[in-house]
């Protein structure tokens, strides 16, 4: 079967911001063509589609990391409750059960390989071995998900590292060459799905020019620009994205944005770690969706809090950027985003 035999028929308006129109179509999503247009954004059947959704991890309080089918069903329900219509498989291919659910419920997927933080500054032998493993990961991803109805784009890696942090021009050239080869590999799949990889805006390099669209992991207001007025953060983000669009000539999505938040922490004047701060900052990012025709997506990081490495910014050993807690209870931001997406 041709990989783009995604669909059976065209019966729904898939460019809605909310999940409602998409989910009513179930498996018969009616997707015949997908395209990343430099000026019009992401097009499905020739019409603009706006990605409103999440990144998430296969992690839960009861069973930890790993496949947990009842939890997957719960998480899909949470995304639908919030009004999401899409997900990026951060930072590895999700289980086939997860994709089955996405197919059945009409949730669209940017499918990402298990390539994270690739380093091109090591000894050449290790770079070659890592590159071979990365190409194997992309090949296996494409072979498995090639005919999936829900998969509308490929992401070949996440945050490969900034070119300016590499030790000299040879390492930078090696990085661009390695990333270009991953993008080219994904474009040889025959499905004609758009190809991208997630990168920090300041780390975009020449390899991003080979992508069909830019996926930008952006944490203004949390990892930097802390304490700036939110309207100023919004204006500066939009100016940054306009500069990238002018430079690269690509449509783009905010593939990650977030702020760690302690459930139950409240402040009259919203400050870091409070639910009020997360709610207001995520509202800023949500407002950027569609602010320009080529800015076609916002995915929040993360759907839920999840177990992480212990460090001073990981209270209790958790990454607390979830709009829901690890036991799947909504924070204020989840309610706020639900209202925004319902009204869109």
């Amino acid at each position: 079967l041709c990989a783009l035999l995604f669909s059976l028929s065209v019966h729904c308006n898939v460019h809605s911001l909310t999940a409602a129109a998409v989910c009513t179509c179930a498996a018969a999503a009616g997707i015949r063509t997908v395209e990343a247009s430099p000026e019009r954004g992401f097009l499905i059947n020739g019409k603009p589609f706006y990605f409103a959704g999440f990144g998430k991890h296969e992690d839960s309080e009861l069973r930890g990391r790993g496949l947990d089918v009842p939890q997957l069903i719960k998480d899909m329900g949470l995304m639908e409750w919030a009004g999401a219509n899409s997900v990026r498989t951060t930072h590895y291919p999700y289980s086939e059960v997860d994709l089955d659910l996405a197919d059945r419920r009409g949730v669209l997927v940017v499918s990402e390989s298990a390539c994270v933080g690739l380093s091109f500054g090591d000894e050449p032998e290790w770079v070659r071995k890592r590159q071979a493993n990365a190409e194997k990961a992309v090949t296996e991803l494409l072979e498995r998900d090639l005919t999936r109805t829900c998969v509308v784009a490929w992401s070949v890696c996440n945050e490969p590292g900034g070119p300016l942090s590499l030790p000299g021009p040879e390492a930078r050239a090696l990085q661009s060459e390695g990333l270009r080869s991953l993008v080219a590999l994904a474009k040889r799949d025959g499905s004609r799905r758009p190809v991208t990889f997630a990168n920090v805006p300041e780390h975009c390099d020449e390899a991003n020019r080979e992508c069909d669209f830019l996926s930008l992991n952006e944490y203004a207001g949390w990892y930097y620009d802390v304490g700036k007025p939110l309207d100023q953060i919004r204006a500066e983000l939009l100016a940054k994205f306009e500069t990238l669009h002018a430079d690269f000539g690509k449509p783009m999505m905010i593939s990650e944005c977030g702020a760690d938040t302690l459930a139950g922490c409240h402040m009259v004047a919203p400050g870091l770690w409070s639910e009020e701060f997360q709610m207001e900052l995520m509202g800023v990012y949500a407002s950027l969706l569609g602010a320009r025709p080529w800015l076609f997506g916002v995915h929040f990081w993360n759907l839920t809090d999840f177990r992480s490495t212990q460090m001073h910014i990981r209270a209790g050993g958790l990454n607390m950027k979830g709009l829901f807690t690890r036991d799947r209870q909504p924070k204020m931001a989840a309610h706020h985003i639900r209202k925004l997406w319902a009204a869109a």
Side-chain angles (χ1 to χ4, degrees):
L1 292 178
C2 173
L4 257 185
L5 278 178
F6 288 136
S7 56
L8 303 176
S9 57
V10 181
H11 288 144
C12 69
N13 176 10
V14 294
H15 66 279
S16 168
L17 258 181
T18 65
V22 179
C23 291
T24 55
C25 300
I31 301 174
R32 296 171 298 169
T33 62
V34 289
E35 175 189 357
S37 166
E39 298 300 331
R40 298 181 63 201
F42 199 94
L43 308 180
I44 296 181
N45 299 343
K47 297 180 179 180
F49 181 90
Y50 293 92
F51 288 76
F54 296 92
K56 64 189 184 77
H57 273 315
E58 293 174 329
D59 172 82
S60 64
E61 189 173 46
L62 180 61
R63 295 183 178 170
R65 297 177 181 177
L67 180 62
D68 186 340
V69 175
Q71 192 66 71
L72 293 182
I73 296 171
K74 172 69 173 179
D75 288 350
M76 191 65 70
L78 292 180
M79 288 194 291
E80 291 178 2
W81 175 88
N85 60 21
S86 54
V87 66
R88 167 173 153 249
T89 68
T90 46
H91 307 293
Y92 46 83
Y94 289 169
S95 73
E96 294 187 83
V97 176
D98 212 327
L99 296 183
D100 287 340
L101 291 170
D103 275 335
R104 291 171 185 172
R105 297 182 183 226
V107 174
L108 301 188
V109 177
V110 178
S111 191
E112 187 166 274
S113 75
C115 301
V116 182
L118 300 175
S119 173
F120 294 89
D122 295 332
E123 293 297 322
E125 179 184 0
W126 288 106
V127 173
R128 286 193 296 270
K129 288 181 178 179
R130 190 178 295 113
Q131 182 69 21
N133 285 336
E135 292 176 2
K136 181 174 183 288
V138 171
T139 299
E140 290 176 348
L141 172 67
L142 269 56
E143 288 176 347
R144 194 195 72 168
D145 295 347
L146 190 62
T147 56
R148 280 285 181 178
T149 303
C150 58
V151 175
V152 294
W154 306 115
S155 175
V156 297
C157 67
N158 175 71
E159 295 187 7
L164 296 181
S165 66
L166 294 172
E170 292 183 3
R172 289 195 286 273
L174 194 61
Q175 172 169 285
S176 285
E177 178 185 347
L179 295 175
R180 284 173 190 268
S181 72
L182 295 181
V183 173
L185 183 61
K187 289 188 175 185
R188 289 199 298 268
D189 73 349
S191 78
R192 302 191 300 276
R193 291 179 178 92
V195 178
T196 189
F197 62 86
N199 214 347
V200 176
E202 289 74 16
H203 291 176
C204 286
D205 73 4
E206 291 304 303
N208 284 100
R209 299 187 188 280
E210 305 299 318
C211 296
D212 295 299
F213 64 92
L214 301 182
S215 296
L216 304 175
N217 294 351
E218 176 59 70
Y219 289 94
W222 179 252
Y223 287 127
Y224 66 95
D225 284 348
V226 175
K228 273 190 178 180
L230 295 185
D231 57 350
Q232 183 179 348
I233 287 177
R234 185 186 189 280
E236 291 176 357
L237 283 174
L238 195 53
K240 178 191 295 187
F241 298 150
E242 288 173 336
T243 298
L244 286 170
H245 181 256
D247 183 7
F248 286 86
K250 308 288 184 181
M252 61 190 66
M253 69 178 297
I254 301 171
S255 44
E256 290 182 25
C257 57
D260 282 88
T261 306
L262 284 165
C265 176
H266 297 286
M267 298 181 185
V268 173
L272 296 188
W273 293 93
S274 71
E275 291 196 40
E276 287 82 2
F277 177 78
Q278 183 191 40
M279 179 184 71
E280 294 189 11
L281 183 61
M282 294 307 95
V284 166
Y285 282 97
S287 74
L288 293 170
L289 181 57
R292 298 291 183 269
W294 39 262
L295 188 53
F296 64 80
V298 174
H299 278 179
F300 295 112
W301 182 257
N302 192 284
L303 179 67
T304 69
D305 296 343
F306 59 92
R307 179 65 62 191
S308 184
T309 303
Q310 293 190 59
M311 55 193 305
H312 65 284
I313 59 171
R314 298 285 180 255
L318 296 177
N319 186 312
M320 292 188 171
K321 293 186 181 68
L323 272 65
F324 297 83
T325 61
R326 199 177 184 214
D327 63 354
R328 274 53 180 181
Q329 296 304 317
K331 301 176 186 177
M332 290 176 66
H335 288 283
H336 184 54
I337 293 303
R338 184 185 188 216
K339 291 178 182 177
L340 292 179
W341 284 348

